[in-house]
Amino acid sequence: MGFLFALPFAMGASGYWLAERLADEGILDLNAAKAWERDLSMQRQELQQIRKQTDQELEALTLKLAELQAKLLRLDALGERLVDVSDLQGEEFDFSALPAVGGPELAAGGTIGGPGVLGEAYQSPEISQVLDQLAERINSREQQLEVLDDLMSANKLSSDTFVAGRPITKGWMSSRYGKRSDPFTGRLAWHAGVDFAGKMGSDIVSVAAGVVTWSAPRYGYGNLVEVNHGNGYKTRYAHCKELKVKVGDIVRKGDVIAIMGSTGRSTGPHVHFEVYKNGRTVDPAAYIHRKPR
């Protein structure tokens, strides 16, 4: 860069000296010498302009390099944090290591083992090359983060739609699944769910994420909410005092979907909880005590 700065002055001084000497010796007339001086002056101005432009471009490239390095550091920090809080294998997403690359060595002409770049001495990379390499690292990190995000989203969706837990926040199990004496007739009858008794007005929550497919009174159930969780699973919450969702709503695991009551065929405030698998009722106890994912 110092060479560019000194070059116009050196050219101007030597050009002026050479023009004067040629004019004195009669080899070059005075007008031609002055024209030569004007050309040299214009060239000197052009060189100064080039130097100024080069300095500006170098400053811009340096700033861009700093921005890219800062972005890479943020991506690495974010990636390491996501791996820490997830259950994924850290070895698959090592953000502290350089991206693994490889391939056969090619000469400048594109042939393996041929003459060309392989035999040339190492030269310091240009700033543009450094920027390109940094951009490649950033792209690699972004691809890793996209894969990591997809895996975490899949794990989260699987965890949310996994049927597990109790449909109440407070209360106790008052009747189990299977044969029992009917509370109204005293005869032996089949109970297709479990009952959780509690305080009138207590929250009833969804045991997994899903879509509401019923939210209205239903014969025998009183006010009923039914949620489809996919993979052949759906759950029912009956005898509600108040319904908090409507058909088509998307609910998350733990969302309040109704308020405990005693509507329909009921002897007191409770929620009748059913679990369906592939269209048939199953014992909810296996899902109530299921370990969440």
Side-chain angles (χ1 to χ4, degrees):
M1 212 47 80
F3 172 74
L4 287 177
F5 181 77
L7 184 60
F9 298 100
M11 289 181 64
S14 60
Y16 178 78
W17 172 81
L18 182 60
E20 288 290 333
R21 181 174 177 182
L22 291 174
D24 290 342
E25 295 178 1
I27 300 174
L28 190 68
D29 63 38
L30 188 58
N31 290 333
K34 290 181 177 179
W36 194 6
E37 287 181 26
R38 284 196 301 271
D39 290 341
L40 287 174
S41 177
M42 290 176 60
Q43 290 174 5
R44 184 164 58 248
Q45 292 175 3
E46 289 177 4
L47 284 172
Q48 288 176 341
Q49 184 64 31
I50 290 172
R51 182 181 183 278
K52 182 178 179 182
Q53 183 178 351
T54 302
D55 287 344
Q56 291 173 347
E57 291 177 355
L58 181 60
E59 184 178 351
L61 286 173
T62 304
L63 181 60
K64 185 64 177 178
L65 180 61
E67 291 175 355
L68 288 173
Q69 288 174 332
K71 183 178 180 182
L72 181 60
L73 287 174
R74 288 195 297 270
L75 287 174
D76 285 350
L78 175 60
E80 290 173 2
R81 175 60 180 160
L82 289 176
V83 171
D84 286 342
V85 300
S86 69
D87 294 329
L88 301 174
Q89 294 295 324
E91 294 81 4
E92 298 179 20
F93 300 95
D94 188 359
F95 287 88
S96 62
L98 292 173
V101 296
E105 293 181 337
L106 299 178
T111 57
I112 299 178
V117 234
L118 294 179
E120 294 179 2
Y122 174 78
Q123 294 180 348
S124 299
E126 299 288 339
I127 290 182
S128 59
Q129 291 178 325
V130 175
L131 290 174
D132 289 342
Q133 291 170 2
L134 195 55
E136 286 179 7
R137 289 184 62 190
I138 289 174
N139 288 336
S140 173
R141 292 299 191 259
E142 288 177 338
Q143 290 172 7
Q144 283 182 294
L145 287 174
E146 286 176 5
V147 173
L148 182 59
D149 181 61
D150 289 343
L151 290 173
M152 291 184 69
S153 297
N155 286 349
K156 181 69 166 59
L157 180 62
S158 175
S159 174
D160 285 349
T161 56
F162 187 72
V163 177
R166 291 154 53 98
I168 57 171
T169 54
K170 294 180 181 178
W172 64 95
M173 187 183 293
S174 55
S175 182
R176 295 187 177 275
Y177 178 85
K179 291 181 179 180
R180 68 170 187 181
S181 295
D182 186 278
F184 291 93
T185 66
R187 300 193 188 104
L188 196 64
W190 181 257
H191 189 225
V194 297
D195 294 337
F196 285 93
K199 186 178 179 181
M200 180 73 74
S202 298
D203 289 340
I204 297 173
V205 298
S206 178
V207 296
V211 180
V212 177
T213 52
W214 185 282
S215 182
R218 191 161 181 166
Y219 179 75
Y221 288 95
N223 292 326
L224 171 72
V225 174
E226 180 182 273
V227 181
N228 190 317
H229 307 287
N231 297 320
Y233 284 98
K234 66 180 180 180
T235 53
R236 286 180 176 177
Y237 312 78
H239 309 303
C240 307
K241 177 182 179 182
E242 181 184 351
L243 305 176
K244 293 289 189 180
V245 292
K246 60 183 183 297
V247 173
D249 283 352
I250 297 174
V251 296
R252 296 170 299 178
K253 186 180 184 72
D255 280 356
V256 176
I257 56 176
I259 299 300
M260 187 179 292
S262 186
T263 59
R265 200 166 182 268
S266 169
T267 62
H270 75 288
V271 56
H272 173 78
F273 176 57
E274 293 180 354
V275 176
Y276 282 77
K277 183 179 181 181
N278 298 323
R280 303 181 64 179
T281 60
V282 293
D283 188 353
Y287 299 90
I288 292 167
H289 302 296
R290 215 176 189 184
K291 185 178 179 181
R293 282 182 178 174

